[in-house]
């Protein structure tokens, strides 16, 4: 089992920045990917960004150039730096880890972009 704990969400004004963190614990060896999904009210959960165990990254087109995913392997933590936020980025952001064909999920952290 992999346990994931997110932090860093909150309320931010349009144009502001936030950094989300996701700390992994438990059976973390052989995790293939970690990343972030988000789910806005009334919408389906969508992939935001992912990072492989070799460090390769991938982003949804809507966040390219605005969001950056990174990791600290020593801390077993993945980060999502979100810049120039817009109201449409408001959602619950979920951390995930993929291992052996199974997705593990965090509890989610709310990001609200509003003036």
């Amino acid at each position: 089992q992999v346990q994931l704990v997110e932090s860093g969400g909150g309320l931010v004004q349009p144009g502001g920045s936030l950094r989300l963190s996701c700390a992994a614990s438990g059976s973390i060896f052989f995790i293939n990917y970690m990343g972030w999904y988000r789910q806005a009210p009334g919408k389906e959960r969508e992939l935001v960004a992912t990072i492989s165990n070799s460090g390769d990254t991938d982003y949804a087109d809507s966040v390219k150039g605005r969001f950056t995913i990174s990791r600290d392997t020593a801390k077993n933590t993945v980060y999502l730096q979100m810049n120039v936020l817009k109201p449409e980025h408001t959602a619950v952001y979920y951390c995930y880890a993929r291992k052996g064909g199974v997705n593990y999920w965090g509890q989610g952290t709310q990001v609200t972009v509003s003036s």
Side-chain angles (χ1 to χ4, degrees):
Q1 294 289 327
V2 177
Q3 291 80 46
L4 302 170
V5 178
E6 302 112 329
S7 60
L11 174 64
V12 62
Q13 292 187 344
S17 298
L18 280 176
R19 189 178 80 155
L20 306 182
S21 300
C22 174
S25 62
S27 182
I28 61 172
F29 293 104
F30 306 116
I31 289 177
N32 304 114
Y33 296 91
M34 290 186 69
W36 296 88
Y37 277 72
R38 67 185 175 193
Q39 188 165 18
K43 294 187 177 181
E44 294 185 354
R45 192 174 295 191
E46 62 175 355
L47 180 65
V48 177
T50 187
I51 186 165
S52 73
N53 59 2
S54 59
D56 296 327
T57 59
D58 195 18
Y59 298 90
D61 288 341
S62 60
V63 305
K64 285 180 180 178
R66 193 184 302 271
F67 291 7
T68 303
I69 189 170
S70 62
R71 64 180 184 176
D72 184 333
T73 53
K75 295 182 178 179
N76 301 315
T77 299
V78 171
Y79 304 97
L80 185 68
Q81 178 67 43
M82 305 185 293
N83 297 328
V84 196
L85 285 162
K86 298 180 178 181
E88 52 261 42
H89 295 138
T90 295
V92 178
Y93 284 70
Y94 296 91
C95 177
Y96 86 100
R98 187 166 181 84
K99 174 182 174 179
V102 177
N103 280 350
Y104 298 88
W105 297 94
Q107 80 283 0
T109 185
Q110 177 71 47
V111 171
T112 302
V113 185
S114 175
S115 56

